[in-house]
Amino acid sequence: MIVLGIETSCDETAAAVVDDGRHVLADVVLSQLDEHRPYGGIVPEIAARSHLEHLDQVIAEAMRRARVDFPDLAAVAATGGPGLIGGVMVGVTTAKAIAAVHGKPFVAVNHLEGHALTARLTDGLDFPYLLLLVSGGHCQLLVVEGVGRYRRLGTTIDDAAGEAFDKVAKMLDLDYPGGPAVQRAAEAGNAARFALPRPMKGRRDCDFSFSGLKTAVRMAIEGLGRAPTTEEVADLAASFQEAVADAVADRCARALDTFRAEFPHGAALVVAGGVAANRRLRERLTALAASQGVRLVAPPLALCTDNGAMIAWAGLERFRLGHSDPLDFAPRPRWPLDPAARKARGAGVKA
Ligand code: KG4
Ligand code: ZN
């Protein structure tokens, strides 16, 4: 069974082909980073136009590399949301057109489900497992019980983790996107130099918060009374990164307790999303998993950040369970994985 997957919900134009033997036959990702860099963030209108301009070529390249033709496909999957609606519309419309022309089923995939199921593509992981999803738009802890069966244990009550990295990078006058730039700067820094808060640490729930930490970084910079030196930038980056890693590890420890009380044999903590690329965070999660006797599964970096393979795989998993979607499926700007989860408080909540 071979499935084409299309991802256009953010700033990557991506298409991939996977099969049910867990092989990624092709995975093509075109980043729009250079188009958004002058604005220091993603401009939705530019993103949508760029997807429209490049998606056909990206799909053709994926099909060519996979050495398959449209008639070989079992289904065509595309991200149906959540995300920037203009981009999602481009991907969904293109997938529907291919499906209609070639008489193939269309599968609308929840982008978050793509991240959530990646560990089954890369590691053949069985259900259930605990998932930490940390990206530019999301920061959630979910129990993954099956395809389409997610229970949210916690979410951010303000910013997503990646968003905090990006904003702190701006304050420190570092490159865009901020996460990798903060990590690079932190390498030379002293993480103990600035005492920053660990938001939500020790709380009984599994929620996250990053806006207070962001404010604390701003106040530390203002406290210097002048622009920070290169050394101070490194120390601020290291102190901030350490605070995030510490806070996230604490929230994961809390969630692992909850998860394992319910599933004593649940054996894995999975981390996905762009921030999962952070080396310090990975170190902390590796140590946490080891201390709790569970396995840490962190997909390779290329499959942590947005890509088409995760959409193709989630589409394949849904399709082989008998799910497909009508051609009048409407793209969804918001699409929670766990619709029953209580509403998170706070401004700017993404999930
Ligand atoms: O999953 P992703 O590629 O896009 C979505 O948001 O869906 O995540 C992008 C986010 C950005 O905020 C970026 O700054 C962050 O992931 N990121 C990192 C690192 N690499 C990417 N954050 C911290 N450390 C990194 N090494
Ligand atoms: Zn994503």
Side-chain angles (χ1 to χ4, degrees):
M1 183 185 287
I2 298 174
V3 173
L4 167 68
I6 295 168
E7 158 59 36
T8 54
S9 68
C10 197
D11 61 341
E12 261 98 26
T13 309
V17 182
V18 306
D19 72 15
D20 54 352
R22 298 202 285 114
H23 301 110
V24 179
L25 305 180
D27 184 22
V28 180
V29 180
L30 184 68
S31 169
Q32 302 177 353
L33 220 54
D34 291 338
E35 289 168 73
H36 298 291
R37 184 173 282 115
Y39 307 95
I42 298 165
V43 184
E45 194 52 28
I46 293 177
R49 281 170 196 271
S50 183
H51 288 306
L52 191 58
E53 207 168 301
H54 297 113
L55 183 58
D56 287 353
Q57 280 307 313
V58 167
I59 293 172
E61 180 64 16
M63 298 294 286
R64 193 186 63 73
R65 287 192 204 167
R67 296 172 188 273
V68 296
D69 291 321
F70 290 123
D72 304 325
L73 299 174
V76 183
T79 297
L84 300 174
I85 197 66
V88 175
M89 283 169 65
V90 172
V92 163
T93 307
T94 305
K96 285 177 180 174
I98 296 170
V101 168
H102 298 278
K104 302 292 178 182
F106 161 69
V107 186
V109 170
N110 183 319
H111 177 87
L112 303 175
E113 181 162 52
H115 283 300
L117 298 179
T118 298
R120 288 168 54 77
L121 167 67
T122 57
D123 293 74
L125 206 63
D126 287 329
F127 299 119
Y129 50 86
L130 180 66
L131 172 73
L132 168 68
L133 178 56
V134 270
S135 69
H138 298 273
C139 190
Q140 307 186 5
L141 277 157
L142 295 146
V143 178
V144 181
E145 292 183 56
V147 175
R149 292 173 54 210
Y150 307 93
R151 196 146 35 84
R152 200 179 76 189
L153 298 183
T155 187
T156 179
I157 59 168
D158 41 58
D159 293 346
E163 207 175 346
F165 268 96
D166 294 335
K167 288 177 178 167
V168 165
K170 260 192 183 171
M171 289 181 214
L172 297 176
D173 216 9
L174 296 170
D175 272 356
Y176 169 81
V182 169
Q183 174 171 305
R184 233 175 294 123
E187 274 162 23
N190 172 6
R193 166 88 177 272
F194 294 92
L196 298 174
R198 270 57 174 160
M200 315 297 268
K201 192 169 173 177
R203 278 185 38 148
R204 286 179 55 80
D205 60 35
C206 300
D207 286 340
F208 301 84
S209 165
F210 297 101
S211 85
L213 174 56
K214 194 179 63 188
T215 305
V217 173
R218 176 171 292 125
M219 287 169 67
I221 297 171
E222 285 171 7
L224 296 170
R226 48 166 173 73
T229 62
T230 309
E231 190 185 322
E232 284 162 347
V233 167
D235 292 345
L236 281 160
S239 300
F240 166 75
Q241 178 177 263
E242 193 62 32
V244 172
D246 199 26
V248 171
D250 174 76
R251 310 288 63 213
C252 288
R254 182 81 200 88
L256 266 176
D257 286 346
T258 306
F259 173 64
R260 299 195 81 196
E262 191 177 347
F263 300 102
H265 303 294
L269 169 63
V270 176
V271 55
V275 184
N278 187 268
R279 213 173 301 131
R280 185 62 188 138
L281 180 62
R282 281 191 180 221
E283 279 171 15
R284 291 296 305 265
L285 296 178
T286 303
L288 170 68
S291 75
Q292 302 244 350
V294 300
R295 188 173 154 210
L296 179 73
V297 178
L301 298 190
L303 293 179
C304 276
T305 50
D306 291 347
N307 64 86
M310 70 180 195
I311 302 305
W313 176 256
L316 189 151
E317 290 235 49
R318 289 183 62 74
F319 181 66
R320 72 182 173 189
L321 290 174
H323 300 294
S324 65
D325 293 276
L327 290 181
D328 64 357
F329 171 90
R332 301 174 181 173
R334 294 171 72 84
W335 188 356
L337 270 184
D338 177 2
R342 71 188 157 68
K343 286 254 181 308
R345 298 165 282 127
V349 172
K350 304 295 186 300

